[in-house]
Amino acid sequence: MTSSRWSRSLAVAVAMAACGATVTMTTAQAAPKDGPEAAHYWTAERMAAAKPVEAKGARGGAGAGAAASKAVAAPKGTPKGTFGDGISMVGTFFSHSKVAGNTSCTGSVIHSAGHDLVLTAAHCARGMQQATDRIFVPQYRKGLDAAKQKFGAFPVQSVFIDKRWLKAADNKFGPESSLDFAFIRVGVNDRKAKIEDRTGSLRLTATPGPVNTVRVLGYPVGSSNPGQQAISCTVPTAQYKGWKQLQMLCGGYYGGVSGGPWIANWDAKRNTGDVIGIVGGYNGGGDRADDDWISYSPVFDGEIQNLYQAAVAGQDPADGLNTTPNPRPVLRESSGVWRHAKQLAAGDFGGQGRDDLLVAFDDGQVSLYPNDGNGGLGKDSTLKEENNPYWKGDKVRAIAGGPIGGGRAKLAVLWAGGKLSLFGDVGPSGLRKETMIGSYGEWKNARKIAITASGDLIVLWKDGELSLYSGVTATGKGKEKQLRPKNSEFAGADALAAGGFSGGSGTDLLVRLADGQLKAYPGTGRGGLGPARVVQGANASYTGTAMVLGGFTPGGGPDDLIVRWSDGETSRYDRPALSGLGDWSPLVS
C-alpha cells in the first residue's frame, strides 16, 4: 500500500515498456513461460527472496533507511494488522525480469465466466507485461516450492490495464492514479484445474460510497513479516480528500501489499465477500511519507467494470468512460458543516424544470442549493437562520419535496409534535404559505415521509406500517391506502426516498433498513407496494445517514441519489439502478 509502491529498478523497466505498451500482455526480451512450467523456476528460496514491486524505504520493513526516517507515528488508536493464514482466494504474484529481478505483489481471485481472473493493481500488472516466469500462488506459504503450494501455481497468460493509466505522463500522482487497477488472466495449474474452481472467488462490486467497513489483506515483505504470512485488518474507510479514492488506517502494510483486496460483507462461513477496492491509487496506494499505516484505493465504478468486461471477453479495453477520474467536490462547505445536515429534500422549487436540494441543519438553519443545470449545485440561500427554535435539534422529524396539489414543488415537514406542514412557496426569499395537513397531533406516530412524482404522500409509521395518501392538498390529507401493514422490518427503517430510477412506470420507493440495507420497491403507487429488490446489502456505514432522490444531473432520465454520511462527507450516485447504486462522485469532501 504505500507511497513507494515502485522500486527504482522497476521504474526503469516501466519506462522501457511505456513507449509501446498495449493493454494486453506485451512481449518481453525472453518469451514468458505461460504454461504450468512457469512454476518450475519458483523454488521456495526464490519466492522467499522476491522483492515487492514497490520495495523502497519503510515499505520494505523496519530499518529501511532514509524513507523510514521521514515516516511519522500513526495517530493514537490506529489499529495494527494481524498475521495469519489468509484466505484461499487471496495470494501472491511472482514474476522475474532482468531489470527488476524477482518481484512480488498481492492479488485476489474474482468471479468470472471463465473462472480465471485475478484482480491486482495496475502498477503491479505492468511489471508483469515485461517479465517471465509469471505465476499466481493463492494463499502463499513460505517454505514450499510453487508446485507444492496448497492450490498449486497458476501461470499468467494475459494482462488487462486501462489505456489511460498506461499513457498518462504521471499515473502515480495525477488523476489517472484513480485507474490503478488491473485484471490478470491465469491458466490452469499443473493439475489442470482452473483457479476459481480450486479457491473460490470474491465478487467484484461497485464501491458503495466513501464510508464502509472492509477487511484488507495483503502479503507484506521485509523484516516486519519474516514468516511472509498474510496481513489482515478490518477497518472503516473514508474518502481520500480531493480524490476519487478511499483511504484506510492500519499499521503493518509494507511493500508487497499492493493489489490486496478491500473486502466488504466478508462471510467467513461461506467464504464469500465483495471486493470494493484494492491497495493502489495515489502513489501506488500510500502517502509520500512512506507510512505503513495509511493505504489508498481507487473507487470501483463504471471504469473498472469496463475493464472487467474486456478481460472476461479477452478484448482490448475501450479508452475509458470518463476523462476525469477525480471529479472535485461541488459544494463549498466542509464535512464538519455537513455533519449537521439532518434532513435532505429535493424538488423543483425554482420552477426551472430541474431539482434543487434543500437541507435542514440541526442548528435550525435551512438552506436551498439551486441546481445549476450542469450537474452542480450553486451557492445556497438561507431560508431559515441558525438557532431557529422551531427547526432546531429534533424538532423536525422528516422533510420531503414534491408536487403535492400540482404545480411547483412544495416542502412537506413532519414535526416531532405530530404536525404535518406544507410550505407552498419555497425559494431564495424563504419558506412561505405554510398550511397544516390534517389536525394537530394525528401524525405523532409518523416517522418518515416521501412524495411521489404524481404528488402522493407516502408515510412510514413507528410500527412499520406504510401508507399512501392520494389527492393530498394544502389543507387535506386525501384518501389513505395501506401499502404494507405493521411489521418489524419497516419498524426499524430509518429513511425513505421516492423517485424514479428503475426505468419503469410509477415511483420507485427506496427504504433503508436498520442494518443499512437498501431495498427498492419499483412501481409503488396507488396500486400498492412494488416488489422488493435489494439494491445494497446490509452495511453498517449506511446507518445514521441522510438520503434523497432527485434529478440533479443534466439530460433528464433516472433520478440520482444523494447520501450524507455520518462524518459529513456527502456523495451523489448518478442514476442508480435496481442492480446497485453504481458510480458516485463527491459533493462534500
Side-chain angles (χ1 to χ4, degrees):
M1 114 196 159
T2 138
S3 68
S4 55
R5 299 290 178 196
W6 306 69
S7 67
R8 289 178 181 172
S9 56
L10 183 62
V12 175
V14 164
M16 293 169 62
C19 297
T22 61
V23 178
T24 51
M25 181 180 62
T26 57
T27 302
Q29 293 177 351
K33 299 184 179 74
D34 285 342
E37 67 274 10
H40 297 167
Y41 174 81
W42 291 101
T43 63
E45 293 75 20
R46 281 176 172 160
M47 288 190 291
K51 298 177 181 179
V53 166
E54 69 276 19
K56 182 174 126 180
R59 293 300 177 187
S69 67
K70 298 178 183 179
V72 298
K76 187 176 181 180
T78 299
K80 291 185 177 181
T82 57
F83 293 101
D85 292 338
I87 60 178
S88 60
M89 59 281 290
V90 177
T92 305
F93 279 105
F94 294 98
S95 61
H96 169 76
S97 73
K98 291 184 178 180
V99 175
N102 295 336
T103 58
S104 69
C105 236
T106 300
S108 58
V109 182
I110 299 297
H111 175 63
S112 67
H115 289 205
D116 56 2
L117 288 186
V118 183
L119 171 68
T120 190
H123 69 267
C124 295
R126 183 160 66 176
M128 281 184 270
Q129 288 183 320
Q130 300 298 311
T132 63
D133 304 294
R134 309 165 303 172
I135 62 170
F136 180 70
V137 179
Q139 208 167 5
Y140 165 70
R141 292 287 187 278
K142 182 180 180 181
L144 295 175
D145 292 346
K148 296 180 179 180
Q149 293 285 327
K150 181 177 181 180
F151 299 103
F154 297 81
V156 170
Q157 291 186 333
S158 302
V159 178
F160 300 86
I161 304 174
D162 191 293
K163 292 180 179 178
R164 291 165 297 167
W165 187 91
L166 282 169
K167 295 176 181 178
D170 182 7
N171 52 27
K172 286 183 66 179
F173 305 108
E176 284 77 15
S177 66
S178 292
L179 303 171
D180 186 15
F181 41 69
F183 292 97
I184 309 291
R185 174 173 286 171
V186 297
V188 297
N189 63 7
D190 59 0
R191 302 157 211 176
K192 306 300 181 183
K194 289 191 172 184
I195 190 167
E196 188 175 340
D197 296 335
R198 293 297 317 279
T199 65
S201 60
L202 299 166
R203 297 178 292 259
L204 181 68
T205 305
T207 306
V211 183
N212 308 276
T213 299
V214 294
R215 184 183 182 192
V216 180
L217 291 102
Y219 282 84
V221 177
S223 59
S224 64
N225 183 20
Q228 294 187 352
Q229 293 178 292
I231 193 171
S232 175
C233 199
T234 300
V235 288
T237 68
Q239 184 183 344
Y240 177 31
K241 298 190 184 303
W243 295 80
K244 195 175 180 182
Q245 298 183 25
L246 305 181
Q247 71 174 36
M248 74 89 174
L249 304 182
C250 186
Y253 284 73
Y254 292 99
V257 298
S258 284
W262 296 29
I263 307 171
N265 305 315
W266 171 248
D267 188 328
K269 291 183 179 179
R270 294 182 175 87
N271 210 34
T272 60
D274 302 320
V275 179
I276 66 169
I278 58 168
V279 178
Y282 180 85
N283 201 20
D287 64 5
R288 292 187 184 233
D290 226 6
D291 297 311
D292 67 288
W293 48 267
I294 185 167
S295 296
Y296 304 133
S297 167
V299 165
F300 286 5
D301 56 12
E303 310 280 13
I304 195 171
Q305 286 294 336
N306 184 50
L307 187 63
Y308 170 77
Q309 294 299 334
V312 169
Q315 300 172 346
D316 268 9
D319 286 336
L321 302 178
N322 303 316
T323 56
T324 54
N326 288 297
R328 294 299 188 230
V330 300
L331 293 174
R332 58 189 176 87
E333 295 93 345
S334 69
S335 59
V337 172
W338 276 78
R339 188 180 296 118
H340 302 282
K342 190 173 181 63
Q343 308 287 349
L344 307 179
D348 182 13
F349 300 116
Q352 302 296 317
R354 50 184 182 258
D355 284 341
D356 308 304
L357 179 66
L358 189 144
V359 182
F361 293 90
D362 59 13
D363 64 356
Q365 180 173 318
V366 181
S367 298
L368 180 65
Y369 296 82
N371 190 323
D372 65 9
N374 295 311
L377 296 169
K379 188 179 184 303
D380 64 300
S381 299
T382 300
L383 309 186
K384 294 289 182 182
E385 297 289 345
E386 59 184 287
N387 296 319
N388 186 297
Y390 299 102
W391 290 79
K392 193 173 183 180
D394 293 328
K395 299 290 182 66
V396 178
R397 189 172 290 168
I399 63 176
I404 285 183
R408 267 176 51 186
K410 302 171 182 64
L411 181 71
V413 181
L414 177 63
W415 306 91
K419 183 176 76 166
L420 183 62
S421 293
L422 191 68
F423 291 86
D425 185 4
V426 181
S429 58
L431 298 170
R432 296 182 296 189
K433 296 183 180 180
E434 179 184 6
T435 57
M436 186 168 68
I437 302 176
S439 59
Y440 187 86
E442 69 176 293
W443 304 95
K444 64 180 180 180
N445 291 321
R447 296 180 59 239
K448 298 295 177 182
I449 57 175
I451 300 174
T452 71
S454 58
D456 295 332
L457 178 69
I458 297 177
V459 180
L460 176 65
W461 304 90
K462 288 183 178 180
D463 61 3
E465 181 182 358
L466 191 70
S467 301
L468 180 140
Y469 294 85
S470 58
V472 180
T473 67
T475 56
K477 60 183 181 181
K479 182 180 179 180
E480 180 184 5
K481 178 183 178 63
Q482 186 184 73
L483 298 178
R484 185 173 179 181
K486 66 179 183 179
N487 62 93
S488 59
E489 183 182 45
F490 277 12
D494 61 356
L496 287 183
F501 60 87
S502 70
S505 59
T507 291
D508 301 316
L509 182 68
L510 197 61
V511 181
R512 187 179 65 229
L513 304 179
D515 60 1
Q517 182 179 183
L518 293 178
K519 278 191 174 182
Y521 297 85
T524 294
R526 299 179 186 183
L529 186 66
R533 294 284 299 273
V534 176
V535 176
Q536 170 68 46
N539 190 328
S541 65
Y542 274 81
T543 60
T545 63
M547 67 182 196
V548 66
L549 283 163
F552 299 107
T553 51
D559 282 343
D560 313 299
L561 178 68
I562 289 180
V563 178
R564 189 273 300 147
W565 307 95
S566 57
D567 64 357
E569 291 183 3
T570 305
S571 304
R572 186 185 68 213
Y573 295 86
D574 295 345
R575 299 175 173 85
L578 296 176
S579 58
L581 294 178
D583 294 0
W584 64 274
S585 57
L587 296 182
V588 176
S589 176

